[in-house]
């Protein structure tokens, strides 16, 4: 048996942060969570279709002000995240650290808005299925934002300590990917929870 | 204890002419007949396909000549896969879809619906049948025994306010679920007089296994007489037994129309003695079984909601006299 | 292949001991003598030390190699299979006589629920995942999975979740609302106590393990294939695993949502399923079956891959219709998401709505038919070796096709309304699941046992086992068709003597005993063969795919040098050409595997994989505590979230020195 | 850029001509997937929405939204089939260092998936004609 070396791996990159298997893994996690959101929103419409009145009589659809603010703050935090990534690509550690920290700040702001808005809900979760699904979807996204914030806070700590380099920035890349998802998934949630009861 | 129970149930059991055996394949209504013949057709085709395919597997795997493999041409292989794997299933799919749609529409349709209107309520773990008039008012209430007129298409309104049950009388019709918050309809049209067994088919808890009922089909005249009798209130002939009935708490759950007993948790007992069975078609209705059911309820049906009562012997006899007078 | 046929009895260490246990830094283990694949002895020894799973009881919790984890998945799932099988025997005993009292209704309902749930969630899926975790990296020529630590995490989650679930039975806390757990029966009103909570939390928890396995299988298959293994050269089994993983990805969230909603209904009084407060019991059924039907195919699809592997090896032919088989597998995956309503034909849905699902349910016959006829075309005229794996495959043909045909029958709305929830359906799905999944798994066990342990299983015992399982199975389940048609509903704890169901039930009980004996023989065969089996060598069956290119059991690093592939049957190519092409230049002092492009598998990077670590175990422990807490209080959610997060940070925290290269 | 949109294109920097060729290859890589995506998506669309719209059709008393749905999903299927067919034709002309068999297989599977989806839609559409949209919805 003759043994031949056809591919030499010595020269290949050991980092490839934008194309690392972990990047694909996060994509998988995003797919799972997107499926969960899809299931929840489908359940929302299913319950709405079964109900005689949706929202039930005497209950107002949730107010628009705070969620609309969140709708703008979350993409803004994605923007700072993207800017941080640019800095990381170019080796500007300070830009990376600032951007990531700004994102954490903005998302925390979104969380505050979200909390105010939850406090204003016209219905409790145990009064009617409408209240249940409203609280469940809101709670699920709230958890998303919290986990994105704490995850990114860890990235920020590492960034300030100078861990990341243009090669060694896998953590930033995958965190950014997840961040985009958390910001993006709010749009369908926003449309369904705040506009569907008004328009349909 | 086990022996007692078996004896109580088995010895006296002779459900008058119950033709339960045979079920789906012993149809007693046009609907069930249609579905049974559909079943036979599908069975025959399935067995044919099974034999052909397995035959091909065995033949193909033994075609080699003394260990020398035989080649099969690419074209022949493609033909094999297309014929067996695409064309044949496609034919079956079209046949199944069309027959299913046509027959489904037929057996689930109202088709005149000239029979009685009956509300079927699934309880834990027994059946209530409420006969309604045209306005939806209750005419008569019975339990675990459904009477239907022969040759008429009865309309059953299936409801439940507890868990999900499923109404299944295989000789007459496919099953339909009773779902809280939802009303389902089912039509039943017996062709011949007879008695059949039906049973709850959706898992509903502890006594799902013994949540049966009896269907009695009788000529329209007999049916009308039966319904008129069921609509009558009870005229008390055994006041002592009724007193026991009240005293030991039966009246809290059971209604006997014509008396003060108006409990709503258990079956309506106004015409208990006219029924063939007790305990959701579990034991035949006899004096002995009735006494056994009252005193050792949970030996016969563990977990049943009815609490057992053990009155003094003379009270028990008076109670049984009363119950037997509920004709 | 210099050492392909070298008898190598000293190497089999058995499934229990990891390769390399007790290997001292100085003394070289025999299997590295003379090197391998052109890699020198000293380098191979260093590579093996790098990839070694450390010995010792405590170190057991730090193992991350996919061969260790895959083996654990398989063994654990077989233990659950045996336990759930014993529960089935208990049910058959209870039903052997009318009005029997081996089990009362309470015990019967718990046993029935645990049997169904365990067979689905604790046996079938994990067994398939285990086979995939063990085999897929070997088949694609990778050194390990893409995320070895996540892999270990998934295993502990499964182990803990499954054990807790099973322990609920002896403690009398077992769920008793059936494996489908329909509301409102499973609501707080009709099922007080902790049984249903155990079900909802542990099922959600175990699904986490299925999801982690799915993600890493997908990434491993897409990114870690050996150079040259473009998509059209991937073994069919790997295709099947890929499709299974995607199905898990999209089906499991639905049951997670369903059980989370039920958990909330029970824990904080939400009203998702409460009809009185605007909820809908049918929502549960939609969500559950949107998962539940793909679930059946999640179990079936990898089994079809196993069958293809065995048919190819035992006919010594490339499979006929590679593209058609891929199409069939992908097609099954696609159609499986469009059938769920056929579990709900009797719930009073509009007829036209049901007609869609009737067509779709029957549609599954096309991809299945294509598969079966591709196998027939492959076997046609070939010299088939009827060894035990092939015999189990023949059994699979008979039983699976029979089950598929009754499946087409129950796709028909009017016919299904008669047999739905009757023993006819019990017969149908046992034919499909045991025929379509357990038979291939046993075939796979006999086929890959030599690869995993270095020893052959006994042929004689294998034939006996196959025969008994086949006869016992048919005796146990064929009469159930008739019982269903005679009106016997499912899930009944007893029946009345005058129903006339006694004789057929007795036949079924007798059959189940024979079936159990058949399984026991295989179990004993496997246990005895670990020590006494004939040495297997690298490639005892003359298989075509890459797992046969390494030692048996596989090296710690899987391959001394990763292969470069030129066709779908690389091992046959090598034998013919007497040449093997490899990847060079990977370091031996740390865990490296080559990363390739998704479609053509051209090399473009190297992934450095982590070594043994206890953090996945710690994380799994914390997560389990959180889920267990959820049985009792909603605050466990908040607490568990942050506690688990801390362990994840510790898990991922970069250890100094930070790598620079 | 991550590999997701290019699915096999290598990510090393390129000069102008290389870039053009890489873009072409990117499209080459994408088109055969269209069959894989469009077929199942069309079928899911037809089935899911068709199923959900039945009670509404009954209230509405007409089938035209359903016909429209069928047209749209059939069209989607056709797009997938067309792309797959296109890729199949081209697979003969691929540069040899790229796997021609791979492109061919993917295109073929995509094409057949679309055919299967079309069959599914046709059977669902055809069978439902025997039924009134209100069958089984009489409350």
């Amino acid at each position: 048996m003759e043994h031949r070396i056809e591919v030499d791996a010595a020269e290949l990159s050991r980092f490839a942060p934008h194309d690392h298997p972990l990047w694909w893994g996060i994509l998988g996690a995003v797919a799972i969570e997107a499926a969960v959101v899809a299931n929840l929103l489908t359940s929302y419409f299913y319950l709405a279709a079964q109900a005689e009145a949706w929202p039930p009589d005497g209950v107002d659809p949730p107010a628009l002000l705070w969620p609309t603010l969140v709708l703008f703050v979350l993409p803004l935090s994605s923007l700072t995240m993207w800017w941080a990534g640019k800095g990381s690509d170019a080796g500007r550690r300070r830009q990376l650290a600032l951007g990531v920290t700004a994102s954490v700040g903005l998302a925390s702001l979104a969380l505050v808005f979200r909390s105010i808005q939850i406090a204003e809900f016209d219905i409790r979760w145990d009064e009617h299925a409408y209240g249940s699904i409203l609280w469940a979807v809101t709670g699920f996204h709230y958890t998303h934002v919290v986990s994105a914030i704490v995850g990114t806070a860890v990235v920020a700590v590492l960034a300030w300590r100078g861990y990341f380099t243009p090669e060694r920035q896998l953590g930033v890349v995958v965190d950014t990917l997840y961040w985009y998802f958390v910001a993006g998934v709010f749009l369908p949630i926003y449309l369904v929870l705040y506009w569907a009861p008004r328009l349909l | 204890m086990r022996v007692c129970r078996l004896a109580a149930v088995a010895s006296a059991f002779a459900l008058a002419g119950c033709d339960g055996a045979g079920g789906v394949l012993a149809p007693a209504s046009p609907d069930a007949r249609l579905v049974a013949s559909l079943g036979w057709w599908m069975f025959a085709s399935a067995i044919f396909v099974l034999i052909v395919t397995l035959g091909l597997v065995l033949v193909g795997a033994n075609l080699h000549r003394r260990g020398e493999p035989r080649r099969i041409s690419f074209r022949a292989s493609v033909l094999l896969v297309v014929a067996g794997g695409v064309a044949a299933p496609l034919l079956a799919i079209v046949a199944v879809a069309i027959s299913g749609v046509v027959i489904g529409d037929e057996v689930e349709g109202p088709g005149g619906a000239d029979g009685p209107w009956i509300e079927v309520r699934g309880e834990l773990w027994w059946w209530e049948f409420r006969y309604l008039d045209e306005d939806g008012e209750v005419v008569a209430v019975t339990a675990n025994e459904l009477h239907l007129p022969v040759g008429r298409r009865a309309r059953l309104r299936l409801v439940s306010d507890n868990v999900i049950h499923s109404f299944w009388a295989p000789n007459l019709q496919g099953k339909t679920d009773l779902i809280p918050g939802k009303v389902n309809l089912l039509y039943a049209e017996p062709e011949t007089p007879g008695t059949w067994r039906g049973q709850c088919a959706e898992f509903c808890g502890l006594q799902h296994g013994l949540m049966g009922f009896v269907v009695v089909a009788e000529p329209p005249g007999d049916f009308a007489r039966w319904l008129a009798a069921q609509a009558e209130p009870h005229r008390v002939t055994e006041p002592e037994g009724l007193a026991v009935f009240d005293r030991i708490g039966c009246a809290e759950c059971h209604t006997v129309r014509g008396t003060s007993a108006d409990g709503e948790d258990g079956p309506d007992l106004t015409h208990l003695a006219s029924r063939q069975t007790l305990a959701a078609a579990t034991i035949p209705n006899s004096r002995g079984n009735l006494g056994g059911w009252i005193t050792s309820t949970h030996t016969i049906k563990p977990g049943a909601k009815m609490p057992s009562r053990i009155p003094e012997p003379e009270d028990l006899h008076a109670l049984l006299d009363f119950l037997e007078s509920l004709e | 292949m210099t050492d392909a046929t070298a008898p190598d009895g000293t190497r089999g260490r058995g499934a229990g001991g990891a390769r390399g246990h007790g290997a001292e830094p100085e003394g070289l283990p025999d299997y590295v003598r003379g090197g391998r694949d052109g890699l020198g002895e000293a380098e191979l020894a260093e590579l093996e030390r790098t990839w070694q799973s450390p010995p010792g009881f405590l170190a057991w919790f730090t193992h991350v190699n996919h061969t260790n984890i895959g083996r654990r998945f398989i063994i654990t799932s077989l233990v659950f299979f045996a336990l759930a099988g014993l529960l089935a025997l208990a049910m058959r005993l209870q039903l052997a006589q009318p009005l029997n009292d081996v089990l009362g209704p309470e015990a019967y309902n718990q046993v029935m629920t645990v049997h169904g749930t365990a067979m689905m969630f604790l046996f079938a899926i994990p067994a398939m995942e285990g086979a995939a975790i063990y085999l897929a990296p070997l088949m694609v020529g990778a050194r390990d999975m893409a995320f070895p630590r996540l892999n270990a995490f998934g295993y502990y989650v499964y182990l803990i979740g499954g054990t807790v679930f099973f322990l609920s039975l002896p403690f009398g806390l077992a769920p008793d609302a059936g494996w489908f757990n329909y509301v409102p029966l499973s609501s707080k009103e009709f099922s007080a106590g902790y049984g249903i909570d155990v079900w909802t939390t542990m099922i959600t928890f175990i699904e986490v393990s299925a999801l982690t396995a799915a993600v890493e299988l997908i990434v491993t298959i897409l990114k870690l294939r050996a150079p040259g293994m473009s998509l059209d050269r991937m073994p069919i089994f790997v295709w099947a695993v890929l499709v299974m993983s995607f199905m898990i990805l999209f089906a499991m969230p639905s049951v997670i949502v369903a059980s989370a909603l039920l958990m909330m209904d029970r824990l904080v009084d939400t009203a998702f399923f409460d009809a009185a407060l605007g909820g809908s019991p049918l929502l549960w059924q939609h969500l559950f079956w949107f998962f539940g039907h793909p679930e059946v195919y999640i179990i079936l699809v990898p089994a079809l891959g196993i069958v293809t592997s065995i048919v190819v090896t035992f006919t010594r032919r490339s499979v006929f219709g590679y593209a058609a088989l891929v199409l069939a597998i992908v097609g099954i995956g696609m159609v499986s998401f469009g059938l769920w309503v056929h579990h709900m034909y009797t719930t009073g849905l509009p007829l036209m709505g049901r007609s869609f699902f009737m067509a779709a349910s029957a549609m599954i016959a096309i991809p299945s038919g294509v598969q079966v006829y591709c196998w027939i075309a492959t076997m046609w005229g070939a010299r088939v070796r009827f060894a035990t794996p092939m015999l189990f495959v023949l059994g699979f043909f008979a039983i699976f096709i029979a089950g598929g045909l009754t499946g087409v029958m129950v796709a028909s709305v009017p016919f299904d309304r008669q047999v739905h929830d009757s023993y006819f359906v019990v017969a149908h799905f046992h034919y499909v699941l045991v025929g379509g999944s357990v038979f291939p798994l046993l075939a796979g066990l006999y086929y890959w046992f030599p690869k995993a342990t270095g020893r052959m299983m006994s042929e004689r015992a294998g034939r006996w086992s196959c025969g008994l399982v086949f006869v016992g199975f048919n005796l146990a389940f064929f009469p159930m068709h008739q019982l269903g048609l005679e009106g016997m509903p499912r899930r009944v704890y007893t029946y009345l003597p005058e129903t006339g169901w006694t004789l057929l039930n007795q036949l079924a009980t007798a059959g189940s005993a024979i079936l159990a004996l058949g399984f026991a023989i295989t179990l004993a065969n496997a246990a005895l063969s670990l020590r006494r089996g004939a040495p297997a060598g690298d490639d005892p069956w003359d298989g075509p795919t890459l797992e046969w290119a390494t030692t048996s059991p596989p090296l710690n690093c899987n391959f001394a040098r990763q292969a470069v592939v030129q066709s779908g049957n690389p091992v046959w190519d090598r034998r013919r050409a007497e040449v093997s092409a490899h990847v060079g230049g990977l370091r031996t002092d740390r865990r490296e595997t080559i990363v390739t492009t998704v479609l053509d598998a051209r090399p473009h990077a190297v992934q450095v994989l982590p070594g043994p670590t206890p953090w996945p175990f710690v994380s799994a422990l914390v997560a389990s505590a959180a889920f267990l807490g959820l049985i009792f209080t909603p605050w466990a959610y908040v607490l568990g979230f942050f506690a688990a997060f801390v362990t994840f940070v510790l898990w991922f925290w970069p250890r100094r020195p930070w790598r620079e290269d | 850029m991550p590999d997701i949109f290019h699915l096999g294109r290598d990510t090393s920097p390129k000069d102008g001509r290389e870039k053009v060729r890489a873009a072409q290859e990117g499209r080459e890589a994408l088109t055969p997937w269209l069959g894989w995506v469009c077929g199942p998506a069309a079928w899911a669309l037809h089935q899911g929405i068709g199923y959900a719209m039945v009670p509404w059709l009954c209230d509405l008393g007409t089938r035209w939204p359903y016909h429209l749905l069928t047209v749209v999903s059939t069209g989607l299927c056709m797009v997938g089939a067309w792309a797959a067919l296109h890729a199949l034709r081209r697979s003969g002309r691929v540069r040899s260092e790229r796997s021609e068999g791979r492109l061919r297989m993917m295109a073929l599977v995509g094409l057949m998936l679309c055919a299967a989806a079309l069959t599914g839609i046709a059977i669902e559409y055809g069978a439902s004609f025997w039924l009134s949209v209100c069958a089984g919805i009489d409350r």
Side-chain angles (χ1 to χ4, degrees), chain C residues 425-439:
Chain C
V425 171
V426 177
H428 156 69
F429 73 74
H430 279 95
Y431 266 76
V432 176
L433 290 177
V434 177
S437 176
V438 176
F439 269 73

Side-chain angles (χ1 to χ4, degrees), chain B residues 213-304:
Chain B
F213 58 90
V214 177
V215 183
V216 180
E218 46 201 359
D222 291 356
F223 171 77
R225 271 190 294 284
W226 173 85
L227 186 58
Q230 294 287 314
E232 292 293 310
H234 174 65
R235 268 181 285 279
V236 181
T237 55
E238 302 286 340
E240 285 169 36
L242 177 59
V244 179
F245 188 83
D246 271 334
R247 195 171 66 238
I248 64 173
C250 304
E252 286 166 25
C253 294
H254 294 286
T255 295
V256 177
R257 278 170 278 141
T259 74
S260 60
D262 58 356
E264 290 189 338
D265 293 339
D268 183 308
L269 298 181
T270 314
H271 298 282
L272 174 69
S274 74
R275 296 179 198 153
Q276 298 180 5
T277 65
L278 295 171
T282 303
I283 43 179
N285 188 359
S286 66
R287 189 181 174 92
N289 280 341
L290 201 49
W293 176 235
I294 292 165
T295 52
S296 44
T297 318
H298 299 106
T299 322
I300 296 170
K301 290 183 79 168

Side-chain angles (χ1 to χ4, degrees), chain C residues 123-391:
Chain C
F123 160 62
I125 295 187
M128 290 301 171
E129 280 166 8
I133 287 171
Y134 193 91
L135 291 169
L138 284 168
M139 280 191 174
V140 301
R143 287 245 166 101
D144 204 332
M145 305 275 283
F147 314 121
R149 291 176 295 186
L150 188 65
N151 208 5
F153 174 76
Y155 172 71
Y156 297 122
V157 163
Y158 160 58
L159 178 68
I160 298 172
T163 309
V164 169
F165 183 79
F166 241 104
L167 280 180
S168 70
L169 199 57
F171 286 102
L173 285 175
D176 57 359
W179 89 279
F180 45 94
N181 210 35
Y182 272 8
V183 289
L185 181 59
S186 58
S187 67
K188 208 157 66 178
E189 189 184 349
F190 297 102
S191 294
Y194 290 122
I196 305 295
D197 301 300
V198 169
W199 192 94
T200 52
T201 48
M202 287 305 120
I203 290 311
T204 312
F205 192 46
I206 293 165
E207 294 321 317
V208 170
S209 135
L211 285 168
T212 58
V215 168
E216 61 197 335
L217 282 168
I218 290 174
V219 178
T220 304
I221 291 170
L222 291 184
K223 294 300 290 178
L224 298 190
R225 297 201 304 275
M229 190 181 279
S230 55
L231 285 185
D232 61 320
R233 292 172 185 163
M234 241 160 66
I236 291 287
F237 177 76
V238 176
W239 266 110
V241 169
L242 185 66
V243 170
M244 168 191 85
S245 305
F246 272 106
M247 290 169 73
I248 290 179
L249 214 60
F250 293 115
M252 295 291 176
S254 160
V255 73
I256 288 185
V257 167
S259 50
L261 298 188
L262 180 55
M263 217 187 290
M264 285 190 261
D265 263 14
R266 294 179 59 91
L267 214 54
V268 293
D269 299 316
T270 52
F272 294 106
F273 306 120
D274 185 349
L277 288 177
S280 164
L282 280 186
L283 175 62
W284 170 270
Q285 299 191 15
H286 279 294
L287 286 173
F288 185 80
W289 291 119
F290 187 75
F291 142 81
H293 204 88
E295 152 94 354
V296 174
Y297 292 93
I298 287 169
I299 297 166
L300 176 71
V301 159
L304 299 176
I306 293 176
V307 169
T308 307
S309 302
I310 290 173
V311 166
V312 167
T313 299
F314 288 83
T315 56
R316 290 203 180 86
R317 282 181 175 178
S318 299
V319 73
F320 173 79
Y322 180 90
L325 280 171
V326 172
L327 166 82
I329 290 171
V330 176
I332 288 177
M334 163 183 108
V335 177
S336 71
F337 281 91
L339 316 173
W340 82 97
V341 172
H342 76 206
H343 294 268
M344 299 167 66
Y345 281 164
T346 64
T347 56
L349 301 172
L351 250 177
M352 189 166 136
R354 274 181 280 165
S355 78
F356 292 125
F357 292 89
M358 178 157 54
S361 307
M363 278 278 287
I364 206 86
I366 293 183
S368 312
V370 168
Q371 296 246 5
V372 168
Y373 277 84
C374 279
W375 292 323
I376 292 179
T378 309
M379 289 196 290
W380 197 267
R383 206 184 86 208
V384 183
R385 285 178 290 169
F386 290 106
T388 309
M390 196 60 204
L391 292 180

Side-chain angles (χ1 to χ4, degrees), chain D residues 22-70:
Chain D
Q24 273 172 356
E25 281 175 10
R27 273 202 300 282
E28 259 173 25
L30 212 55
T31 45
W33 287 110
L34 269 184
W36 290 58
V37 174
C38 289
W43 181 65
L45 204 72
H46 187 260
Q47 195 199 37
I49 299 185
Y51 170 73
M53 72 170 25
V54 171
W56 180 59
L57 290 180
C58 176
D59 285 346
L60 223 58
T62 170
R63 273 176 195 250
W64 69 260
Y66 175 54
H67 297 311
L68 189 72
L69 174 73
T70 309

Side-chain angles (χ1 to χ4, degrees), chain B residues 24-325:
Chain B
V24 176
L25 298 179
S29 76
D31 307 317
R33 190 174 301 286
L34 215 50
V35 176
S37 56
L38 174 69
W40 283 116
W41 272 104
M42 291 200 292
F43 253 127
S45 327
I47 287 170
F48 174 75
V49 172
L50 183 68
I51 289 172
V52 168
T53 313
L54 286 184
L56 285 174
V57 171
L58 292 178
V59 169
N62 289 297
L63 264 184
H64 58 87
R65 284 210 195 100
R66 295 186 191 161
E68 260 326 286
R70 274 200 205 178
R71 282 275 148 208
I72 171 175
S73 75
F74 180 75
R75 187 183 286 262
S77 299
V78 170
L79 196 71
L80 192 65
V81 172
V82 168
V86 180
L90 198 60
L91 193 71
I93 295 163
V94 172
V96 164
I98 292 178
S99 65
V101 164
V102 172
I103 295 175
D105 198 28
E106 179 71 29
V107 300
E108 290 188 58
D114 50 356
W117 186 10
I118 305 162
E119 181 171 284
V120 178
R121 302 183 72 87
E123 303 292 344
L124 296 171
W125 291 276
W126 52 280
W127 299 89
E128 182 166 280
F129 300 109
R130 296 183 176 180
Y131 286 78
L132 310 178
D133 62 15
E134 286 81 42
D135 306 324
E137 295 297 317
V138 179
V139 177
V141 182
T142 179
N144 304 322
E145 189 164 313
L146 179 66
H147 283 244
L148 295 172
V150 170
R152 300 278 163 80
R153 198 163 176 84
R155 184 165 127 197
L156 309 184
R157 197 171 175 271
L158 309 175
V159 295
S160 164
D161 61 1
N162 43 79
V163 303
I164 299 176
H165 304 276
S166 192
F167 180 88
W168 189 29
N171 304 70
L172 292 181
Q173 183 58 284
K175 59 187 74 64
T176 298
D177 294 355
L178 293 70
I179 298 171
K182 195 171 186 314
V183 177
N184 283 333
L185 292 182
L186 183 73
Y187 299 92
E189 187 180 356
E191 285 176 321
T192 51
T195 306
W196 304 278
R197 228 188 115 77
Q199 198 165 338
C200 175
E202 183 57 83
F203 181 64
C204 57
L206 276 186
Q207 278 299 333
H208 165 62
L210 296 177
M211 183 173 162
F213 58 90
V214 177
V215 183
V216 180
E218 46 201 359
D222 291 356
F223 171 77
R225 271 190 294 284
W226 173 85
L227 186 58
Q230 294 287 314
E232 292 293 310
H234 174 65
R235 268 181 285 279
V236 181
T237 55
E238 302 286 340
E240 285 169 36
L242 177 59
V244 179
F245 188 83
D246 271 334
R247 195 171 66 238
I248 64 173
C250 304
E252 286 166 25
C253 294
H254 294 286
T255 295
V256 177
R257 278 170 278 141
T259 74
S260 60
D262 58 356
E264 290 189 338
D265 293 339
D268 183 308
L269 298 181
T270 314
H271 298 282
L272 174 69
S274 74
R275 296 179 198 153
Q276 298 180 5
T277 65
L278 295 171
T282 303
I283 43 179
N285 188 359
S286 66
R287 189 181 174 92
N289 280 341
L290 201 49
W293 176 235
I294 292 165
T295 52
S296 44
T297 318
H298 299 106
T299 322
I300 296 170
K301 290 183 79 168
K305 300 284 182 197
M306 180 165 118
S308 56
R309 290 280 188 269
I310 307 182
E312 296 300 310
E314 56 272 29
D315 284 354
L316 182 60
H317 280 290
L319 181 62
L320 292 176
D321 288 340
F322 167 67
L323 292 174
E324 287 201 309
S325 75

Side-chain angles (χ1 to χ4, degrees), chain C residues 232 322 334 338 351 599-600 602, chain D residues 7-8 40 47 101-102 105 135:
Chain C
D232 61 320
Y322 180 90
M334 163 183 108
L351 250 177
L599 299 180
D600 286 331
R602 283 177 297 125
Chain D
L7 297 163
Q47 195 199 37
R102 192 262 300 156
M105 184 207 79

